[in-house]
Amino acid sequence: MRERPDSGAARLRRDERGVSVTVGYVLTLAIGAILLSGVVIGVGGVVDSQTDRTVQSDLAVLGQTAAANVESADRLARAAETDRPDGVGAANATVSVAVDLPTRVAGVPYRIAVDDDAVTLRTERPEATLEIPHAARADVTP
């Protein structure tokens, strides 16, 4: 029996159909991986910027709260000085205020410093500093 020209080993060597399925599958996986990584990178940037904004707004709220408490303490100290008869011990009026603030803002620890002019709040990651001035006229100590 005679072999046809398109049969047998010669035909198998020219057949590339199996390769095209494999190449198509690999290309589909590669395109899917590239699209997925692009989405992950894009969403990561949005989350970081949203965290920065949240930290800034939370620091502003906490700073305003701390500044308001400092000003309240200042008013109390000045009222105590005014109420003393003949100014006896007027310079020694002392007011202490305890403020309950959270230890973290948006999951980030922060530091707070109080001086005669302002309340300063700082975080390290993301790096943010916010200074809230207060109107206290008495000496302020942390």
Side-chain angles (χ1 to χ4, degrees), residues 28-140:
T28 302
L29 286 177
I31 291 170
I34 290 170
L35 289 174
L36 184 61
S37 64
V39 168
V40 168
I41 290 170
V43 169
V46 170
V47 170
D48 288 343
S49 68
Q50 186 65 26
T51 301
D52 292 347
R53 281 185 272 164
T54 303
V55 166
Q56 286 288 343
S57 69
D58 285 355
L59 287 180
V61 170
L62 293 175
Q64 292 293 339
T65 301
N69 283 309
V70 168
E71 291 172 355
S72 294
D74 179 62
R75 283 193 298 277
L76 287 171
R78 283 187 284 122
E81 291 172 359
T82 305
D83 290 344
R84 295 197 184 210
D86 301 327
V88 175
N92 295 330
T94 303
V95 175
S96 177
V97 177
V99 180
D100 187 25
L101 297 174
T103 58
R104 295 175 170 263
V105 292
V108 178
Y110 67 96
R111 291 187 312 255
I112 185 168
V114 180
D115 60 18
D116 288 336
D117 299 322
V119 175
T120 306
L121 297 104
R122 288 187 176 87
T123 63
E124 292 181 8
R125 264 182 253 140
E127 189 172 331
T129 302
L130 185 64
E131 188 172 300
I132 308 290
H134 60 74
R137 290 186 252 156
D139 290 337
V140 177

